Amino acid sequence: MQTRPPAPVLTIDGPSGSGKGTISRLVAEHLGWRLLDSGALYRAVGYAAGMAGLDLSDAEAVTRCAETTKIQFRAAPNDGETRVIVNGHDATDELRTETAGAAASAIASVPSVRHALVGLQLGFRKPPGLVADGRDMGTVIFPDASFKVFLTASAAERAKRRYKQLKEKGLSVTLSSLQSEIEARDARDASRTVAPLKPARDAVLVDTTGMGIEDVVANVLAVVKP
């Protein structure tokens, strides 16, 4: 019996604020492929842990939380932002805050938490293909992916983007504090012993500093050969 080859995967990795989420969604829509927002999974677990009052440094408790938290993705009407449902609650807006991002970064350094979420991520690989957005998609989760991209941008540029996003949501933030948080998170993600943030050796690097969304999408689509 002939074995069907696995569905193709395009991994899009990069630091916080590099535009991975927006670009991944647009590229997936263009290709007609499924989408995996791996960062949302870690943010969801961090959010659930916070709601349960857990100490994020308690690896055993956070791992149990990762194993039991129910996470669902729901397509939004009118091409809106995909909704993330955590234990029955629409937590999409809460997951996009810097607090949720910091919690995700903290628990992502726990090996047992990463292990608990690996199977869930692998399950997204189904025909006709998958666009996987994250920090270790091309290095750890899908090392055999046919297409790999690493998006980056200056910390100042990423802070400006995040500032604009959060202000549009009515949140009170300062540009300087956002840039400091982004730089601290970059250092933490790059130096962790488990799945550190770095480009896969065969990834195409795309610096999005000063680039418009359409140009970035075009650069990423060019990586996916027919």
Side-chain angles (χ1 to χ4, degrees):
M1 183 176 177
Q2 188 173 10
T3 302
R4 179 180 298 177
V9 176
L10 163 64
T11 62
I12 301 181
D13 290 315
S16 176
S18 57
K20 301 188 305 295
T22 299
I23 301 306
S24 296
R25 178 174 58 82
L26 293 173
V27 168
E29 288 176 358
H30 182 91
L31 295 172
W33 289 6
R34 293 162 60 87
L35 175 66
L36 165 59
D37 179 354
S38 66
L41 299 180
Y42 286 96
R43 286 172 179 260
V45 173
Y47 170 79
M51 292 300 291
L54 301 181
D55 180 351
L56 295 184
S57 64
D58 185 338
E60 185 175 338
V62 174
T63 300
R64 283 199 303 271
C65 183
E67 293 169 342
T68 58
T69 297
K70 301 293 188 297
I71 306 169
Q72 298 173 292
F73 294 98
R74 291 181 187 168
N78 303 318
D79 296 326
E81 183 180 13
T82 300
R83 311 308 294 178
V84 185
I85 314 302
V86 183
N87 292 331
H89 171 69
D90 186 339
T92 308
D93 293 338
E94 292 97 321
L95 298 191
R96 294 307 174 193
T97 65
E98 289 306 305
T99 299
S105 181
I107 66 171
S109 64
V110 181
S112 52
V113 170
R114 303 193 72 86
H115 180 73
L117 294 179
V118 166
L120 181 61
Q121 294 173 83
L122 294 176
F124 280 81
R125 186 176 194 171
K126 295 177 181 177
L130 173 68
V131 176
D133 153 21
R135 284 175 170 73
D136 63 351
M137 295 296 97
T139 54
V140 176
I141 306 301
F142 300 105
D144 64 334
S146 302
F147 316 106
K148 299 179 182 179
V149 169
F150 190 89
L151 293 185
T152 187
S154 68
E157 173 102 349
R158 288 184 281 134
K160 290 177 183 176
R161 293 173 184 172
R162 188 71 76 190
Y163 179 82
K164 184 174 182 291
Q165 290 174 342
L166 297 178
K167 292 299 284 187
E168 288 174 350
K169 293 179 182 294
L171 299 176
S172 177
V173 291
T174 65
L175 190 58
S176 60
S177 65
L178 283 177
Q179 183 167 337
S180 295
E181 289 174 1
I182 284 174
E183 290 172 342
R185 184 172 182 183
D186 284 351
R188 187 167 59 246
D189 288 348
S191 62
R192 68 191 182 205
T193 56
V194 179
L197 173 65
K198 63 179 181 179
R201 285 182 296 177
D202 51 347
V204 175
L205 270 64
V206 179
D207 189 335
T208 67
T209 304
M211 290 179 65
I213 291 176
E214 292 183 358
D215 289 337
V216 179
V217 169
N219 273 267
V220 173
L221 287 173
V223 174
V224 185
K225 306 296 191 296

